[in-house]
Amino acid sequence: MIRTRFSPSPTGMIHLGNARAALFSALFAAKNQGAFLLRIEDTDQSRSEHQFTDSLQDDLQWLGIHWQEGPGVNGPHGPYWQSQRHEIYMRYYQQLEAAERAYPCFCTDQELALNRKIQLSRGQAPRYPGTCRGLAKEKVVKYMAEGKAPALRFRVPVQTLIEFVDLVKGPQRFNSDDIGDFIIRRADGSSSFLFCNAIDDSLMEVTHVLRGEDHLANTPRQLMILQALQMRTAHYGHLSLITGDDGTPLSKRHGSFSLHDLREQGYLPLAVLNYLARLSHAYDEQKLMSFAELAEHFHLEKLSRASARFDLNQLRHWQKETVLALNVTDAWGWVGKNLQADIPEAKQNLFIKLVQENALFPQDAIKWKQILFGHELQFTEEQIAILKVAGKDFFIVAQKAVEKHGTELKAVLDELKMQLNISGKGLFMPIRLALTAEQHGPELLHIVSLLGVEEVLRRFKVASELCL
């Protein structure tokens, strides 16, 4: 059975890179009738916060990603909080020490920093020099008696090739001599990410791990840990990074791109879902799809090795597609029901249709509510100049046409064409400006219908007075 997972650290809001990894993992599990689990990696107690744990779960569910095992769902492989799995990790530390695959390290941060500086000055890749690797037991006992708390390092085998086939990047080879012994338990007793992440994946029977390519260097280390413990290993796939327009990894300097930020801006979950699903994954269908449809057409072999460039225009495209696909009830829920109270009941459906065709975000709906049912229009000097070019007579004729034909826009326009011998932009622009103080926007037919005869006449009168 296919089992995937998402294992975030609750140290901040979930960003798009993590959200995409969660989505791809959930899609792959769903496609194969497998299970997707959520595990909270909160071993870093100094940085983990409950508010972020609650937020990331809420954001995932908002996005339409649901887990079959994890917080709130439980399952046979819990607990799903790493902070509650300390005793489990201790057993495996003891196994590694007993097999002499791990050893205590008393090196200080200052000593390690100095070694790193020396190696870099020699043009060497920094790695642990093995200072405590052969430390005599008497020394260990002495240091412990002096109250020195050691970290625990994994003893990397020498001259060994670590090979695996990456689900995205293909065959990978690492030389153990380039890695160096690494910490699996910190001096304060807390578990390192490398260790507990690998142990949990194995114990929770995770079969496929999809994560960012920044974790690629961790994979040989985790494979060595699991092989030393004779534990099952997963298949790993490392997703290309998401970059900004400048080609560097997407970060705060490119803007706010957490799921929380997108929610606050009014993006719809299906829009974000469709956009993320296409970042590094090729879909034959370019239509708006549900989670189930995206899963059906998800294929690991269609994951790209090239970096995925974040494209705000594409995100806005999927937002537009999603807004257009909303039914009336969902559209009202999106813009906020408070808006509904300010619009005559008989015109609510037409107004929401106008909003769907001309708005990307709820604030756009508020803008059109104010234009059509709110305050007096405010014209810029440029707009007044356009109205004056049309002239006072234009709006006098327009008023008479509306008095004669009401909101039958075609008849009103035909009347203006016939009497003033104008057409095209010279006909439509003055009308649009007079009715909305906007040079672009919804169809005039919708605007006239929503305003009604009396308000159209009043606005034409105001425009004619501006032409004096």
Side-chain angles (χ1 to χ4, degrees), residues 448-468:
V448 169
S449 297
L450 285 166
L451 289 174
V453 172
E454 290 186 10
E455 183 62 15
V456 169
L457 288 172
R458 190 189 71 80
R459 294 190 181 195
F460 281 162
K461 183 175 185 297
V462 169
S464 68
E465 292 170 350
L466 288 173
C467 294
L468 296 176

Side-chain angles (χ1 to χ4, degrees), residues 257-317:
F257 296 119
S258 70
L259 286 186
H260 177 79
D261 292 331
L262 295 181
R263 290 179 67 178
E264 289 294 305
Q265 292 171 34
Y267 280 98
L268 289 158
L270 191 60
V272 179
L273 199 69
N274 272 264
Y275 178 62
L276 284 179
R278 291 170 169 85
L279 277 178
S280 294
H281 184 276
Y283 277 92
D284 296 328
E285 293 281 352
Q286 292 306 308
K287 66 177 183 178
L288 188 71
M289 290 190 276
S290 65
F291 179 91
E293 291 171 317
L294 290 168
E296 180 184 353
H297 298 284
F298 182 83
H299 301 280
L300 288 179
E301 56 269 26
K302 290 189 175 182
L303 289 170
S304 172
R305 299 182 186 184
S307 297
R309 185 175 66 84
F310 178 79
D311 187 335
L312 184 59
N313 289 329
Q314 275 297 303
L315 176 58
R316 291 168 70 90
H317 162 76

Side-chain angles (χ1 to χ4, degrees), residues 3 5 7-8 37-45 69-71 74-94 184-185 189-193 195-206 226 231:
R3 290 173 59 82
R5 55 77 167 167
S7 54
L37 66 89
L38 175 66
R39 183 176 69 234
I40 307 300
E41 301 203 334
D42 58 343
T43 54
D44 188 348
Q45 293 294 300
E69 291 183 33
N74 295 320
H77 301 89
Y80 295 92
W81 304 73
Q82 285 188 339
S83 59
Q84 299 173 16
R85 298 174 64 83
H86 180 71
E87 295 303 319
I88 295 172
Y89 307 139
M90 289 302 296
R91 293 201 301 269
Y92 291 103
Y93 288 135
Q94 290 166 5
I184 55 177
R185 187 181 67 213
S190 62
S191 300
S192 72
F193 157 80
F195 186 80
C196 50
N197 180 270
I199 297 297
D200 287 345
D201 280 345
S202 185
L203 293 178
M204 294 181 181
E205 300 180 6
V206 172
L226 296 175
M231 298 177 72

Side-chain angles (χ1 to χ4, degrees), residues 186-402:
R186 304 180 187 93
D188 63 5
S190 62
S191 300
S192 72
F193 157 80
L194 279 170
F195 186 80
C196 50
N197 180 270
I199 297 297
D200 287 345
D201 280 345
S202 185
L203 293 178
M204 294 181 181
E205 300 180 6
V206 172
T207 61
H208 294 74
V209 172
L210 296 176
R211 58 187 181 183
E213 66 181 8
D214 51 326
H215 286 290
L216 182 59
N218 294 327
T219 302
R221 293 166 170 82
Q222 293 182 308
L223 288 173
M224 284 190 287
I225 291 171
L226 296 175
Q227 288 163 2
L229 291 166
Q230 298 183 330
M231 298 177 72
R232 64 184 293 168
T233 60
H235 298 286
Y236 292 90
H238 293 88
L239 306 171
S240 61
L241 297 181
I242 303 174
T243 66
D245 289 333
D246 57 1
T248 61
L250 196 66
S251 64
K252 288 183 179 179
R253 69 175 177 275
H254 295 106
S256 296
F257 296 119
S258 70
L259 286 186
H260 177 79
D261 292 331
L262 295 181
R263 290 179 67 178
E264 289 294 305
Q265 292 171 34
Y267 280 98
L268 289 158
L270 191 60
V272 179
L273 199 69
N274 272 264
Y275 178 62
L276 284 179
R278 291 170 169 85
L279 277 178
S280 294
H281 184 276
Y283 277 92
D284 296 328
E285 293 281 352
Q286 292 306 308
K287 66 177 183 178
L288 188 71
M289 290 190 276
S290 65
F291 179 91
E293 291 171 317
L294 290 168
E296 180 184 353
H297 298 284
F298 182 83
H299 301 280
L300 288 179
E301 56 269 26
K302 290 189 175 182
L303 289 170
S304 172
R305 299 182 186 184
S307 297
R309 185 175 66 84
F310 178 79
D311 187 335
L312 184 59
N313 289 329
Q314 275 297 303
L315 176 58
R316 291 168 70 90
H317 162 76
W318 291 112
Q319 173 75 355
K320 185 61 181 177
E321 292 294 307
T322 307
V323 171
L324 289 171
L326 293 173
N327 60 39
V328 172
T329 302
D330 289 342
W332 275 118
W334 171 63
V335 300
K337 288 189 178 290
N338 289 339
L339 198 70
Q340 198 167 355
D342 298 326
I343 299 168
E345 186 174 350
K347 297 182 177 182
Q348 287 179 359
N349 284 354
L350 179 58
F351 176 76
I352 204 65
K353 180 181 179 182
L354 176 147
V355 165
Q356 286 181 262
E357 293 176 350
N358 295 274
L360 282 179
F361 304 105
Q363 56 264 36
D364 298 329
I366 294 172
K367 166 189 169 181
W368 285 107
K369 182 207 74 171
Q370 292 173 338
I371 288 173
L372 296 170
F373 302 102
H375 310 295
E376 282 291 322
L377 300 180
Q378 300 296 317
F379 297 94
T380 66
E381 291 184 7
E382 178 187 355
Q383 291 171 335
I384 292 173
I386 295 172
L387 295 176
K388 286 183 175 180
V389 169
K392 182 176 181 180
D393 289 344
F394 177 97
F395 294 107
I396 291 175
V397 172
Q399 290 176 70
K400 290 179 179 179
V402 171

Side-chain angles (χ1 to χ4, degrees), residues 108-125:
T108 66
D109 290 342
Q110 292 79 6
E111 290 170 334
L112 294 173
L114 178 59
N115 281 324
R116 179 184 175 87
K117 185 176 180 180
I118 292 171
Q119 288 171 334
L120 289 173
S121 69
R122 294 172 177 172
Q124 301 171 340

Side-chain angles (χ1 to χ4, degrees), residues 168-195:
V168 180
K169 297 181 175 298
Q172 301 292 309
R173 301 179 70 190
F174 294 84
N175 190 325
S176 65
D177 291 347
D178 296 331
I179 295 175
D181 298 346
F182 52 89
I183 291 175
I184 55 177
R185 187 181 67 213
R186 304 180 187 93
D188 63 5
S190 62
S191 300
S192 72
F193 157 80
L194 279 170
F195 186 80

Side-chain angles (χ1 to χ4, degrees), residues 437-451:
E438 294 285 334
Q439 292 172 249
H440 306 281
E443 292 181 29
L444 284 173
L445 178 63
H446 294 337
I447 291 172
V448 169
S449 297
L450 285 166
L451 289 174

Side-chain angles (χ1 to χ4, degrees), residues 140-159:
V140 173
V141 172
K142 177 178 180 294
Y143 287 151
M144 296 288 283
E146 292 173 355
K148 294 181 179 180
L152 188 67
R153 284 188 184 272
F154 182 79
R155 191 186 300 274
V156 174
V158 299
Q159 296 182 350

